């Protein structure tokens, strides 16, 4: 499947949750499949921390660049593009084409950098709603996402209850735990204390806070994998014949983390990383309802599919069960699957046959 | 008459049902189609939970042994435990949970006091294996068998009222010596 990335430009200012106003913005997106005449078959796919609008397929000029959820989305796949019109989008504040810290600030003509406002899950959804209008979609057959993407799928059902028929919420949490926030703070500190960070104005200095990004990514990767999966994949295998009694790479896991950190630091923007982790930290739909998630979901009208993974300690199954409880309290139509795939948080990206069969069946039963 | 027909007859139209150990969701689908009773099933097994989704039945993949913490007090009209009682490790807490969450509970189980089971133990000297109880003793999900008498004693201990009882053998209601001649018992109880 060859796909073409597109951009939509919005010139009406967007008021953000923080009170700041984004005077104008662009959203990068891709579409797969065909919008039907009734415009009833659209599915919005929301991405997590480091992914983008490139959900599925490849580019004609870059055949190795396969979309991040290509195993899930495409012709004959669980989210079948022969039936659905699927939209991948890059949320604002990210660094893959939508307006973010690397974009030009219209007031100065220079990159926003540190001046780009902090955006939230609610802001992303508000921006995505503009994209839906732009594409002429009044109601999504489904909004779907994993991890941070799942927060957007949840928020869609809260911000625009009448515009979402199904909310598909995978490896989610209704709010970060103190431990989750703690990991994010360590990652942010790694970036902000990098001498190349320059308070976020590093673009015009010709440097990138690469050391900070590397460490942030290494920390992230530890939380994406389960202890068992990490042990299974790397064990205590040494990269060299005998321990070196120095601080070069001894163990495979060290090599893996360094590789992931290095790779990430070449393509990801540090200001974006700070903002995304803040968006995660702030997300708490129950907060404006006295901490009562059931009250927060009172306005939801969608049907829900919630999927968690028992080996996920970052956003554990207990967090998903809180969402399910809130939905049951509101008598929403909901199914909940607790999958025992071993990979940890990252399991939502893996093609476990049970998880994929369930998604396939769920999408199959969505009448258009 | 089948068990699901019996349960459908008992369930008032439009009421809310929770089916514990719902399998592929057949009963819930039947209750929706015949009584317009919306509901949820709980099923721990992966393949069966996926079948529920395929059957367009709301399924929650939870472990019954963890209780019904996901459900608010008196949030259902009926909580159903269909041929699953004998596979539960802790019946007493689950029975209490059922009537915390539901106004009424509907419970069915294979009667271990059925004469064929008794004969297999008494005369052949081995654990019963039959259409209703198809498992060998060493390879069975069933851990706590009971008879009609045993179940009614548990209800009495928990101060639960038996509102209705139907005993079946081969789909036919049994009224004479039900604890001996009935192979399947279906009860409707309340707190």
């Amino acid at each position: 499947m060859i796909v073409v990335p597109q951009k939509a430009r919005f010139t009406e200012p967007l008021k953000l949750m923080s009170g700041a106003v984004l005077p104008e913005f662009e959203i990068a997106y891709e579409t797969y499949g065909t919008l039907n005449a009734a415009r009833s078959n659209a599915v919005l796919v929301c991405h997590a921390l480091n992914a983008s609008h490139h959900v599925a397929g490849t580019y004609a000029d870059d055949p190795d660049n396969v979309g991040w959820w290509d195993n899930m989305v495409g012709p004959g796949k669980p989210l079948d593009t022969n039936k659905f019109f699927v939209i991948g989008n890059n949320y604002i504040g990210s660094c893959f084409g939508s307006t973010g810290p690397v974009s030009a600030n219209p007031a100065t003509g220079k990159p926003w950098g540190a001046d780009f406002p902090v955006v939230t899950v609610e802001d992303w959804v508000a921006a995505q709603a503009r994209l839906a209008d732009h594409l002429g979609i009044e109601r999504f057959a489904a909004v779907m996402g994993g991890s941070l993407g799942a927060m957007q799928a949840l928020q869609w059902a809260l911000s625009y209850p009448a515009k979402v028929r199904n909310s598909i919420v995978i490896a989610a949490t209704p709010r970060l735990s103190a431990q989750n926030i703690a990991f994010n703070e360590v990652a942010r500190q790694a970036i902000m204390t990098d001498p190349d960070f320059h308070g976020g104005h590093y673009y015009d200095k010709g440097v990138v806070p690469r050391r900070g990004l590397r460490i942030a990514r290494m920390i992230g990767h530890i939380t994406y994998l389960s202890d068992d999966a990490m042990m299974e994949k790397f064990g205590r295998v040494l990269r060299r014949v005998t321990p070196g009694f120095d601080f070069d790479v001894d163990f495979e896991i060290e090599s893996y983390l360094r590789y992931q950190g290095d790779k990430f630091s070449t393509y990801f923007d540090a200001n974006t990383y700070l903002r995304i982790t803040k968006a995660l930290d702030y997300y708490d739909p129950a907060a404006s309802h006295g901490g009562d998630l059931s009250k927060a979901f009172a306005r939801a009208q969608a049907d829900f599919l919630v999927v968690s993974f028992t080996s996920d300690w970052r956003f554990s199954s207990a967090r998903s069960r809180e969402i399910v409880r809130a939905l049951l309290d509101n008598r929403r139509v909901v199914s909940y699957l607790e999958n025992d795939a071993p990979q940890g948080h990252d399991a939502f990206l893996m093609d476990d046959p049970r998880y994929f069969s369930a998604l396939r069946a769920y999408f199959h039963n969505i009448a258009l | 008459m089948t068990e699901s027909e019996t349960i459908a007859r008992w369930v008032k139209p439009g009421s809310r049902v929770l089916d514990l150990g719902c399998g592929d969701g057949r009963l819930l689908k039947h209750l929706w189609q015949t009584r317009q009773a919306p509901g949820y099933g709980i099923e721990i097994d992966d393949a069966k939970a996926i079948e529920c989704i395929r059957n367009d039945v709301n399924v929650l993949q939870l472990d019954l042994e963890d209780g019904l913490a996901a459900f608010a007090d008196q949030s259902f009209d009926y909580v159903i435990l269909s041929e699953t009682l004998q596979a539960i490790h802790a019946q007493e807490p689950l029975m209490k949970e059922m009537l915390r969450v539901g106004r009424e509970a509907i419970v069915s189980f294979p009667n271990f006091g059925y004469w064929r089971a008794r004969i297999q133990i008494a005369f052949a000297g081995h654990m019963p294996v039959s259409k209703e109880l198809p498992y060998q003793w060493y390879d069975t999900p069933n851990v706590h068998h009971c008879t009609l008498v045993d179940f009614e004693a548990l209800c009495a201990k928990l101060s639960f009222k038996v509102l209705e009882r139907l005993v079946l053998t081969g789909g036919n209601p049994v009224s004479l010596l039900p604890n001996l001649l009935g192979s399947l018992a279906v009860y409707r109880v309340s707190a």
Side-chain angles (χ1 to χ4, degrees):
Chain A
M1 186 168 62
I2 303 290
V3 297
V4 180
Q6 300 174 73
K7 274 190 189 181
R9 180 163 198 83
F10 303 94
T11 51
E12 194 186 321
L14 181 68
K15 186 150 194 277
L16 303 173
M17 211 170 144
S18 65
V21 175
L22 208 52
E24 56 181 41
F25 63 96
E26 286 184 321
I27 293 183
Y29 68 99
E30 289 177 7
T31 67
Y32 322 94
T34 310
L35 187 61
N36 62 11
R39 298 176 177 267
S40 63
N41 67 334
V43 175
L44 183 70
V45 174
C46 303
H47 69 80
L49 198 146
N50 69 312
S52 72
H53 49 287
H54 186 36
V55 172
T58 58
Y59 299 133
D61 60 352
D62 190 3
D64 295 333
N65 188 354
V66 180
W68 60 272
W69 224 352
D70 190 70
N71 52 2
M72 177 71 81
V73 180
K77 307 252 172 96
L79 176 44
D80 190 347
T81 51
N82 291 326
K83 176 178 179 183
F84 293 102
F85 176 65
V86 179
I87 303 155
N89 78 98
N90 185 217
Y91 48 64
I92 53 172
S94 182
C95 52
F96 296 108
S98 293
T99 297
V102 293
S103 313
N105 179 346
T108 63
K110 292 205 285 194
W112 280 92
D115 299 329
F116 193 83
V118 170
V119 284
T120 63
V121 173
E122 288 85 341
D123 296 331
W124 292 339
V125 167
Q128 287 160 352
R130 300 265 189 99
L131 179 64
D133 291 344
H134 171 78
L135 296 171
I137 294 153
E138 282 177 15
R139 200 168 179 224
F140 284 107
V143 180
M144 174 192 196
S147 187
L148 183 51
M151 289 176 169
Q152 295 160 65
L154 278 180
Q155 188 56 41
W156 258 97
L158 302 179
S159 292
Y160 304 100
K163 294 190 174 194
V164 187
R165 288 178 56 212
N166 293 274
S167 173
I168 299 173
V169 175
I170 303 165
T173 180
R175 72 184 75 79
L176 260 60
S177 68
Q179 187 193 46
N180 294 146
I181 295 170
F183 278 115
N184 283 345
E185 174 58 5
V186 176
R188 284 191 294 266
Q189 284 297 323
I191 289 169
M192 291 189 293
T193 57
D194 186 322
D196 287 336
F197 182 61
H198 297 289
H201 292 290
Y202 46 86
Y203 306 108
D204 44 6
K205 302 240 172 2
V207 292
V208 169
R210 199 154 277 159
R211 282 162 287 185
L213 273 170
R214 278 180 88 233
I215 297 168
R217 185 58 169 172
M218 289 164 92
I219 294 162
H221 260 280
I222 297 170
T223 70
Y224 304 151
L225 293 175
S226 68
D227 189 12
D228 285 348
M230 209 181 252
M231 199 63 194
E232 169 101 346
K233 197 166 172 186
F234 307 106
R236 294 181 50 85
V237 175
L238 291 171
R239 289 281 291 177
R240 38 192 185 187
V241 181
T242 55
F245 296 101
D246 57 24
F247 302 99
D248 273 349
V249 168
D250 272 319
F251 294 95
E252 278 288 358
I253 181 64
E254 296 172 295
S255 168
Y256 171 80
L257 289 178
R258 287 186 190 196
Y259 170 76
Q260 292 294 343
D262 285 340
K263 192 171 75 169
F264 188 70
S265 71
T266 63
Y267 74 85
F268 208 83
D269 174 58
N271 281 318
T272 291
Y273 201 93
L274 297 181
R275 279 155 186 75
I276 294 176
T277 55
K278 270 290 170 190
L280 273 158
D281 292 358
Y282 286 142
Y283 190 60
D284 184 4
S288 53
H289 296 84
D292 188 335
L293 195 62
S294 298
K295 283 188 182 145
F297 275 101
R299 54 187 287 113
Q301 295 173 20
D303 294 351
F304 288 80
L305 175 65
V306 179
V307 182
S308 77
F309 300 92
T310 54
S311 59
D312 181 355
W313 59 275
R314 180 183 168 93
F315 296 164
S316 71
S317 292
R319 300 283 82 76
S320 285
R321 289 197 291 264
E322 288 175 35
I323 296 168
V324 171
R325 167 81 202 235
L327 295 169
L328 289 170
D329 284 345
N330 286 293
R331 306 194 165 190
R332 298 313 321 155
V333 168
V334 52
S335 281
Y336 169 58
L337 296 175
E338 204 165 285
N339 186 292
D340 65 0
Q343 297 93 346
H345 190 59
D346 267 354
F348 86 86
L349 295 166
M350 315 286 175
D351 46 6
D352 176 273
R354 296 160 301 174
Y355 163 44
F356 270 43
S357 301
L359 267 291
R360 184 182 290 278
Y362 192 88
F363 278 117
H364 181 264
N365 282 344
I366 295 178
L368 299 180
Chain B
M1 177 178 308
T2 65
E3 180 192 349
S4 58
E5 282 165 0
T6 303
I7 294 174
R9 210 158 45 88
W10 287 351
V11 165
K12 291 194 184 77
S15 49
R16 282 168 54 81
V17 295
L18 177 63
D19 185 3
L20 310 182
C22 67
D24 63 7
R26 199 169 303 187
L27 176 62
L28 282 165
K29 195 163 189 166
H30 182 68
L31 292 177
W32 173 246
Q33 286 168 346
T34 59
R35 311 299 274 174
Q36 291 72 52
Y40 303 86
I42 295 184
E43 180 55 57
I44 187 91
D45 181 78
D46 288 322
K48 289 175 184 164
I50 293 166
E51 275 307 306
C52 286
I53 290 183
R54 217 163 263 147
N55 285 328
D56 225 347
V57 165
N58 298 327
V59 65
L60 307 170
Q61 196 173 21
L62 298 168
D63 188 351
L64 287 181
E65 306 274 4
D66 294 340
L68 304 177
F71 303 94
D73 295 355
Q74 301 293 295
S75 51
F76 287 89
D77 297 303
Y78 305 95
V79 179
I80 300 171
L81 188 67
S82 167
E83 297 188 53
T84 303
L85 182 73
Q86 73 281 358
I88 299 291
H89 284 88
Q91 275 90 355
E92 210 176 314
L94 184 64
M95 291 278 291
K96 286 183 190 160
E97 275 286 88
M98 288 174 73
L99 284 173
R100 173 185 69 78
V101 167
R103 290 192 302 104
E104 294 181 7
I106 295 173
V107 180
S108 74
F109 55 88
N111 175 25
F112 211 69
Y114 182 46
W115 66 275
R116 284 181 186 275
R118 294 192 199 199
I119 280 178
Q120 288 189 49
I121 287 192
F123 297 106
H126 63 73
M127 285 296 282
V129 177
S130 64
K131 195 155 69 56
E132 294 78 17
L133 298 169
Y135 304 100
Q136 292 293 339
W137 66 274
Y138 51 82
D139 182 23
T140 172
N142 300 331
V143 289
H144 285 174
H145 283 296
C146 68
T147 69
L148 274 60
V149 171
D150 296 327
F151 181 77
E152 286 170 27
L154 176 62
C155 288
K157 184 188 173 214
L158 296 171
S159 306
F160 291 165
K161 290 189 281 284
V162 173
L163 304 172
E164 218 164 341
R165 181 184 82 180
L166 188 80
V167 181
L168 297 166
T169 298
N172 299 312
V174 176
S175 47
L176 181 72
L177 298 174
N179 198 37
L180 184 66
L181 301 180
S183 69
L184 183 80
V186 196
Y187 283 85
R188 189 161 68 84
V189 302
S190 71

